[in-house]
Amino acid sequence: GEGRDVEGGGNDDLASLVPGCCEGAARFNVQLLLCCALLFIVPIVLIALGHDAEGTDRKALLAIGYGFLALGVCYCLFISHPVLIGAATKPAPPPQHGPFKNALSGEPASRTVSVKKICIIVNPFGGLGKGKAVLEQVLPIFKNRGVEVDVLETEFAGHPKIYAQTLDVDKYDAFCAIGGDGTAHELTNGLLSRPDGRKVPLGFIPAGSGNSVMMDLGTWSPEVAAERIIAGVTVPIDALHVTDEGALDVWSINGVFWGLVGDVAVASEKKWLRSMFGPARYDVVSLWSVFKGQSYEAEVSIDGVTLGERHFLTCFVNNTQHFGKALRATPDAYLDDGFVDCVYTSSCSLSAGEKLNVFMQLPDGSHRDNPKIHMQHARQIAIRPLGAKNPRRVAFNVDGEVMAFNRKLTMKTSHKCLEIFAPANCQPMDLKATKVK
């Protein structure tokens, strides 16, 4: 999505609200220097001196040098043993399930609408430049099936929201958007903030750099998404209403992220990281934050109960099973059960190696049964940061959109407040069969 601050400014402005690159890195830097000294510096110096010496001095220096080398290897194996053990004993992932709980319970989970005319909103330069190409790909499909299409191009960030707020719902059977999670976020916010309160079903045609919603719905294919819209089968889904103690008032259908997961999107936008690492900068920033032991202090309450924990690595709320690039972060989530899944972990409970294990387990959800990763179904979650740089403006992430909130962030579920085009019995994409680019 288009990262921006709801109170003005952009990622450069919000960068001042997240921990700096070197902030809190002293312990990791000491470990890194110690590891380098034991593995390279001391052994190389002693072995070099030993080769130049003679007699007992030679033997002693070489013995000490190789001894330090062996000690360094043992030390590195010791600090990395959780990763090695985790890789060898990776738990089995939880079984896959569809995104709609009503479909599993046998309750009516869908309805069919007649789709004769739709409005497609597209950012011609969005979706990694694929927006216009995807539009040209799907237009013939609609035309051949007799569906009339009005196309509206966006001209600035937030334009899809304005379209969804102001378009005449009597003219269309559906509002559709070509893009990723950010576009779906804007379309959702526009529809749910209409002054007249009227709604139409929403259709999402994937073209963005992140498509967590469509991952849950089982396809990243624009053609399949178009055929689903034409079929007219709609399913009601939940949304998350997000507010603060200021003017923030937004909706989420994917997830809300605070702490490490939320800050990565802000910290990764620094120019030197973009130029040096490109798309890999998100992984680089995440790994660096893990290694240096980043911690966030806050008061978190779930359904009115305040947690005893105060120091977090991250706390996030997911409506979908997936976020980011096909990471199955909340494998027990459903889109229509009236709950979101709140995930949090203490910054003190996991070693750096254990945190790396969690990262390796995220793609298939095998971290779910980790006793140090807490997952809980909830209807309302509140986060009040303590000791933040500026508690009046705290960076966080909604559906891939970078924003800031004032003092306290509150999230409440709204049950089945939206309709989207999808088969009630669809299944999430098979990660093993999916090549994530």
Side-chain angles (χ1 to χ4, degrees), residues 3-286:
R4 60 188 182 279
D5 176 6
V6 294
E7 297 180 9
N11 284 2
D12 290 339
D13 180 37
L14 287 172
S16 63
L17 305 181
V18 303
C21 181
C22 297
E23 186 176 331
R27 180 181 176 184
F28 174 66
N29 288 338
V30 169
Q31 287 183 323
L32 183 62
L33 288 173
L34 183 59
C35 195
C36 290
L38 291 175
L39 266 178
F40 302 108
I41 301 173
V42 174
I44 289 173
V45 170
L46 290 174
I47 291 172
L49 291 174
H51 282 295
D52 292 335
E54 296 180 356
T56 56
D57 290 340
R58 174 186 176 90
K59 293 180 180 179
L61 288 170
L62 288 176
I64 296 173
Y66 286 118
F68 267 99
L69 182 62
L71 182 63
V73 171
C74 291
Y75 176 73
C76 291
L77 288 175
F78 172 75
I79 63 175
S80 63
H81 78 276
V83 178
L84 301 175
I85 294 173
T89 60
K90 185 174 178 290
Q96 293 273 4
H97 65 77
F100 305 115
K101 193 163 189 176
N102 277 0
L104 300 177
S105 65
E107 297 179 30
S110 64
R111 71 183 184 103
T112 302
V113 298
S114 177
V115 179
K116 299 297 182 183
K117 184 177 182 179
I118 65 174
C119 177
I120 294 182
I121 300 167
V122 58
N123 178 352
F125 305 106
L128 301 178
K130 297 188 297 184
K132 200 83 176 249
V134 170
L135 176 64
E136 294 173 356
Q137 194 176 345
V138 299
L139 278 179
I141 299 174
F142 290 111
K143 181 180 179 181
N144 293 338
R145 300 290 292 275
V147 177
E148 186 180 350
V149 178
D150 285 349
V151 176
L152 297 176
E153 293 189 357
T154 62
E155 300 174 2
F156 50 85
H159 207 173
K161 177 181 177 179
I162 295 174
Y163 280 140
Q165 280 177 323
T166 57
L167 286 171
D168 185 354
V169 296
D170 291 324
K171 289 179 59 177
Y172 302 104
D173 300 308
F175 292 166
C176 305
I178 295 176
D181 291 329
T183 307
H185 168 83
E186 292 195 11
L187 197 65
T188 297
N189 274 268
L191 191 68
L192 292 179
S193 60
R194 286 181 64 95
D196 59 12
R198 301 185 66 187
K199 300 174 185 177
V200 292
L202 300 181
F204 304 131
I205 301 173
S209 55
N211 282 286
S212 303
V213 174
M214 297 306 291
M215 184 79 190
D216 270 29
L217 299 181
T219 185
W220 280 348
S221 164
E223 295 94 339
V224 171
E227 290 289 351
R228 288 180 173 182
I229 294 168
I230 294 167
V233 177
T234 69
V235 182
I237 67 168
D238 307 331
L240 195 62
H241 193 202
V242 184
T243 58
D244 68 353
E245 293 186 350
L248 181 71
D249 189 345
V250 297
W251 292 84
S252 165
I253 58 171
N254 178 9
V256 179
F257 311 96
W258 169 82
L260 184 146
V261 177
D263 283 358
V264 164
V266 182
S268 301
E269 294 308 308
K270 294 181 179 179
K271 291 181 181 179
W272 68 273
L273 283 169
R274 293 176 67 93
S275 60
M276 184 176 295
F277 297 105
R281 65 189 182 276
Y282 298 104
D283 294 327
V284 171
V285 172
S286 298

Side-chain angles (χ1 to χ4, degrees), residues 336-402:
D336 64 345
D337 63 350
F339 294 92
V340 288
D341 282 32
C342 181
V343 181
Y344 63 92
T345 183
S346 166
S347 58
C348 307
S349 64
L350 294 169
S351 67
E354 290 172 322
K355 292 171 188 174
L356 288 177
N357 280 337
V358 173
F359 275 98
M360 293 190 295
Q361 295 164 1
L362 274 173
D364 62 9
S366 54
H367 64 289
R368 184 191 68 174
D369 297 322
N370 187 325
K372 297 180 181 179
I373 306 294
H374 303 278
M375 295 188 185
Q376 185 173 336
H377 294 311
R379 297 185 187 276
Q380 179 172 331
I381 302 95
I383 300 174
R384 183 187 293 277
L386 306 172
K389 286 187 173 182
N390 183 353
R392 288 184 58 83
R393 297 181 68 248
V394 181
F396 76 118
N397 188 307
V398 183
D399 297 349
E401 301 291 311
V402 179

